[in-house]
Amino acid sequence: MNFTKTLFIILFSALGFVPSFSQGLEYKKSFEGLASFYGKEFNGKTTANGDVFSNRYYTCAHRTLPFGTLIEIENPKNGKKVIVKVNDRGPYCGERVIDLSREAASKLGLIHHGVSDIKARILKKRRGFDINTGSMATKSKWPAPTTSRSFHEMIFLNSARRNFVMKI
């Protein structure tokens, strides 16, 4: 049986299909515990999934959840919520369950406490999340309909270029 599974994986890998067994799972789990946030010294370092870490993104580290999992974190003390994406492993300090980026921690009001209690819910949806803004994409039609004149003005005649004169 193991030989068949191994042959199956090798065959699909050779064809360019790498099976991912963690994709598509629908989580309905929630958890509570202590959260901390990354220090400034981690900026620019590589995370466990290969991304370059930035404290400006809405990301987090969790010990076991698959990379790309979206988690809604709530600070029960003030009711603030934020959505983060798992892209690293950890924390490995004490009884902490999650490490947040500094941006996510500041939105939750955790910066002054360092470590704080949180409530977390794992979201079913794993796509459409913007780590720069910490928000889910809306169901808008893209690209937005526009006239060619307004598009031209938006691209070429913005405030910085209106007074641009080219000398020949």
Side-chain angles (χ1 to χ4, degrees):
M1 186 68 176
N2 286 336
F3 176 74
T4 307
K5 285 183 184 178
T6 306
L7 182 63
F8 178 75
I9 291 173
I10 291 171
L11 177 65
F12 276 103
S13 297
L15 294 174
F17 303 110
V18 180
S20 177
F21 302 106
S22 65
Q23 300 297 321
L25 293 177
E26 292 187 3
Y27 293 99
K28 298 179 183 178
K29 181 180 167 187
S30 63
F31 59 92
E32 297 179 5
L34 293 174
S36 57
F37 59 92
Y38 285 92
K40 294 178 183 176
E41 66 272 10
F42 290 98
N43 269 330
K45 294 189 177 181
T46 305
T47 61
N49 75 341
D51 291 346
V52 176
F53 177 76
S54 174
N55 262 318
R56 294 178 294 141
Y57 296 152
Y58 289 84
T59 58
C60 70
H62 191 274
R63 291 182 189 152
T64 58
L65 289 175
F67 295 132
T69 301
L70 300 179
I71 308 172
E72 181 185 64
I73 310 288
E74 179 184 357
N75 184 347
K77 293 177 183 173
N78 59 18
K80 293 183 179 180
K81 296 180 182 179
V82 69
I83 298 174
V84 293
K85 182 178 182 180
V86 176
N87 74 340
D88 204 1
R89 291 290 173 233
Y92 300 109
C93 182
E95 303 212 359
R96 300 175 192 174
V97 294
I98 199 163
D99 262 340
L100 301 168
S101 65
R102 191 171 185 87
E103 186 71 21
S106 72
K107 291 285 184 189
L108 290 171
L110 301 179
I111 297 293
H112 300 295
H113 303 289
V115 177
S116 184
D117 288 319
I118 55 101
K119 292 181 180 179
R121 292 187 316 175
I122 300 169
L123 302 179
K124 293 179 186 178
K125 187 173 182 179
R126 295 184 66 175
R127 294 188 179 172
F129 178 70
D130 184 5
I131 62 171
N132 294 311
T133 63
S135 61
M136 300 297 286
T138 59
K139 292 184 178 180
S140 63
K141 294 181 179 177
W142 189 87
T146 180
T147 64
S148 61
R149 179 170 174 81
S150 66
F151 179 75
H152 177 78
E153 289 174 354
M154 180 179 68
I155 299 297
F156 297 106
L157 299 177
N158 63 18
S159 60
R161 294 183 180 222
R162 287 183 208 269
N163 298 326
F164 180 73
V165 177
M166 182 183 285
K167 294 182 181 180
I168 300 177

